[in-house]
Amino acid sequence: QVRIVESGGGLVQPGGSLRLSCAASGNIVSLYAMGWYRQVPGKQRELVASATISGRISYGDSRLDRFTISEDFSRNTVYLQMNKLRPEDTAVYYCHLDDSGSGAISRTWGQGTQVTVSS
């Protein structure tokens, strides 16, 4: 079983920054990708950013200029640097790990970390 622990969420003022961290452990057979999604009540979970083991990085919508994903796959860890935060960035941020060891992609989610952007 894979265990994912997120940290770094909290309350920040508009224009501020936060850095989220995600560490995975347990029975990881073949790590394929790690990344971040976010969700607000009543809406679908949406992609923030993800990174594959081959180096491909994807960002949801147009967050390229404010959010940066980085990884240390040797430690099964991924980070999300968020700058110039806006109230609409308020959400629960979930980390995921995709494992391709079984021949198909198996995704595990963390419990989520709350990010609140408010003055």
Side-chain angles (χ1 to χ4, degrees):
Q1 202 164 12
V2 177
R3 180 170 179 258
I4 292 177
V5 178
E6 301 117 326
S7 61
L11 173 65
V12 63
Q13 291 188 342
S17 299
L18 281 176
R19 185 177 189 243
L20 305 183
S21 300
C22 169
S25 60
N27 187 26
I28 301 168
V29 178
S30 181
L31 192 154
Y32 174 75
M34 293 183 72
W36 297 91
Y37 280 66
R38 71 185 188 185
Q39 189 171 25
V40 297
K43 293 189 176 181
Q44 284 190 330
R45 197 169 292 188
E46 61 175 3
L47 172 69
V48 178
S50 67
T52 69
I53 195 73
S54 63
R56 181 169 59 90
I57 293 177
S58 302
Y59 287 95
D61 287 342
S62 56
R63 301 186 189 96
L64 282 169
D65 59 336
R66 298 190 299 120
F67 292 5
T68 303
I69 189 171
S70 60
E71 48 76 17
D72 182 353
F73 285 143
S74 68
R75 298 184 177 186
N76 301 326
T77 301
V78 67
Y79 307 94
L80 184 68
Q81 178 66 43
M82 304 186 292
N83 299 325
K84 301 178 182 178
L85 283 161
R86 305 167 180 168
E88 54 264 39
D89 294 318
T90 296
V92 178
Y93 285 69
Y94 294 92
C95 177
H96 74 87
L97 180 144
D98 294 346
D99 192 324
S100 62
S102 65
I105 300 296
S106 174
R107 175 165 289 185
T108 302
W109 293 98
Q111 292 298 307
T113 184
Q114 176 71 46
V115 171
T116 302
V117 184
S118 174
S119 56

